[in-house]
Amino acid sequence: MSVSKSVFGSMPDGREVFCYTIENSNEMKVSIITLGATLQSIVVADKEGAFEDVLLGFDDVQGYLERSSYQGAVVGPYANRIGNASFCIDSVKYDLIKNEKDVTCLHSGGEFSYALWNSIIIDSDAVEFSYTSEDGTNGFPGKLTTTVTYKLGENNDLHIVYKCVSDKKTFINLTNHAYFNLAGYQNGCITDHILQLNCSAYTPVDAYSITTGEIAEVKNTPFDFTVAKCIGDEIDADFEQLKLTGGYDHNFVIDEADGTLRKCATVLDPKSSRQLHVYTDLPGVQFYAGNFLEGESGKNNFPMQKRSGFCLETQYYPDTPNKCGFPQCLFDAGEEFSSETVFIFDTAE
Ligand code: BGC
């Protein structure tokens, strides 16, 4: 195992952005940059031993600052959407940044995703990133101290460990927004990837993509991935929930989630046989099929076309602060949010 550090570029104000690359003895390489504690590349072999970078993203800081739809970034303090960009804690109303359609708060307004994080190599296989956000940033209560550790194992297992403490009672829900294409970022559409989700239910949304509070069974709907099927099989079906979001962009409810690590998803690219297994200790996973990508120029100038990457963002359900029926993520001052996501890569037989 080894970790190397290089300069990736610089922020508009001149601060340097660093890149860490962790490599295991299978020559799998994972790079993370200090801007947004962002996963910048994952280079992993297929069953013939051919290496590809399976992550959408950019070669430079400018790309991440100007064209990124959160590619690979850590999202926080609250991932996904909050309805009407507000919530209440102990009868105090907090108004958040309305960064979507002037109505909703998406990904906390990018607070964690576009910040420059501190970083330190903590072992030959792990790097820790840390960031402190001030009380009231984008309307969120509390000064938050966050660390995100990326650790690569010898089984091509990438562990992301999130820890966050606030000095005021607040909602915390951290995720990573990696867009994967298991055939390689330059390989176009992911609708031929085969997905299996250990999720018998999902959370439907309204016209603003805000969860309605309902928990709906996937059975007999295009949302049923309990048995593996191609992402593209029903993505354009005449089904209201898909029409509202232009394809899959929903939180799935992980079966038997109990706070311990469990597998929520397996994705296979039939061309390369590369496979991704996703584990989390959180109750939900946002399956987003990259419906809103529209040709942004990415790595090596390859365009990120509609559905050229998919995301599996482990999370508490979107808009939990306003949905009392959802598993809650309200943390007292000083109480730690702690969560782990594991991405394991292998190849199918
Ligand atoms: C959301 C999408 C959004 C994307 C990029 C996902 O988590 O569910 O609706 O377009 O992030 O911001």
Side-chain angles (χ1 to χ4, degrees):
M1 298 290 315
S2 67
V3 185
S4 60
K5 180 180 180 183
S6 58
V7 174
F8 186 73
S10 44
M11 298 290 275
D13 62 9
R15 287 176 299 163
E16 279 184 316
V17 177
F18 296 104
C19 177
Y20 291 86
T21 300
I22 316 176
E23 181 169 353
N24 67 14
S25 40
N26 310 318
E27 293 173 53
M28 175 177 172
K29 286 187 198 149
V30 174
S31 297
I32 310 111
I33 58 171
T34 49
L35 168 57
T38 295
L39 257 177
Q40 194 267 335
S41 79
I42 297 181
V43 178
V44 63
D46 69 6
K47 72 166 188 255
E48 314 296 339
F51 284 86
E52 288 289 351
D53 181 354
V54 297
L55 212 59
L56 271 57
F58 305 90
D59 300 315
D60 54 21
V61 172
Q62 208 182 358
Y64 283 99
L65 289 178
E66 292 175 4
R67 302 190 292 283
S68 170
S69 329
Y70 297 85
Q71 264 90 355
V74 168
V75 182
Y78 197 92
N80 209 275
R81 295 181 175 81
I82 296 180
N84 293 319
S86 70
F87 55 62
C88 284
I89 300 173
D90 297 336
S91 308
V92 176
K93 186 175 177 230
Y94 292 90
D95 289 312
L96 314 172
I97 185 172
K98 294 180 177 172
N99 63 326
E100 197 181 39
K101 298 177 185 153
D102 233 6
V103 178
T104 53
C105 178
L106 172 63
H107 299 321
S108 311
E111 161 65 357
F112 284 21
S113 309
Y114 298 102
L116 197 58
W117 292 55
N118 292 319
S119 54
I120 181 170
I121 297 173
I122 53 169
D123 217 328
S124 59
D125 58 0
V127 184
E128 181 187 278
F129 297 82
S130 55
Y131 176 65
T132 302
S133 58
E134 293 310 317
D135 183 17
T137 307
N138 289 346
F140 286 85
K143 177 177 177 178
L144 293 140
T145 308
T146 306
T147 62
V148 178
T149 304
Y150 291 88
K151 180 183 162 94
L152 181 63
E154 291 292 15
N155 294 319
N156 291 356
D157 45 326
L158 175 64
H159 301 250
I160 310 178
V161 175
Y162 305 88
K163 292 193 185 300
C164 180
V165 179
S166 170
D167 66 355
K168 283 189 182 160
K169 195 174 188 180
T170 192
F171 295 98
I172 304 176
N173 184 18
L174 304 184
T175 195
N176 180 285
H177 207 308
Y179 289 63
F180 298 96
N181 185 323
L182 298 179
Y185 67 83
Q186 70 281 36
N187 268 289
C189 220
I190 47 77
T191 45
D192 61 347
H193 283 39
I194 298 166
L195 171 67
Q196 193 265 323
L197 292 171
N198 292 332
C199 303
S200 311
Y202 72 108
T203 51
V205 295
D206 66 14
Y208 286 96
S209 275
I210 298 296
T211 47
T212 60
E214 187 194 351
I215 293 182
E217 296 290 315
V218 296
K219 211 173 172 175
N220 299 322
T221 77
F223 287 75
D224 192 352
F225 286 93
T226 54
V227 176
K229 71 177 181 208
C230 280
I231 291 176
D233 277 359
E234 296 177 275
I235 196 167
D236 292 316
D238 187 11
F239 190 78
E240 199 206 351
Q241 279 298 313
L242 286 171
K243 297 233 167 266
L244 281 172
T245 47
Y248 299 106
D249 187 2
H250 291 75
N251 171 71
F252 283 72
V253 173
I254 300 171
D255 290 341
E256 292 163 37
D258 63 358
T260 63
L261 264 187
R262 57 181 55 242
K263 189 171 180 172
C264 60
T266 305
V267 195
L268 165 70
D269 165 40
K271 299 189 288 293
S272 65
S273 292
R274 276 192 204 89
Q275 222 170 205
L276 167 67
H277 309 266
V278 182
Y279 292 74
T280 180
D281 47 17
L282 295 183
V285 60
Q286 183 84 10
F287 167 43
Y288 170 52
N291 311 304
F292 299 125
L293 296 172
E294 44 186 17
E296 298 86 343
S297 175
K299 293 174 184 172
N300 275 318
N301 295 322
F302 273 97
M304 300 187 193
Q305 270 142 3
K306 181 174 174 177
R307 300 179 182 157
S308 58
F310 67 88
C311 305
L312 288 163
E313 303 150 62
T314 54
Q315 61 184 4
Y316 283 93
Y317 309 167
D319 202 31
T320 282
N322 295 307
K323 302 283 148 51
C324 57
F326 288 174
Q328 290 299 303
C329 52
L330 182 59
F331 291 80
D332 277 325
E335 186 190 358
E336 187 180 68
F337 166 96
S338 172
S339 172
E340 179 171 1
T341 301
V342 190
F343 295 126
I344 304 182
F345 295 86
D346 64 7
T347 53
E349 288 310 309

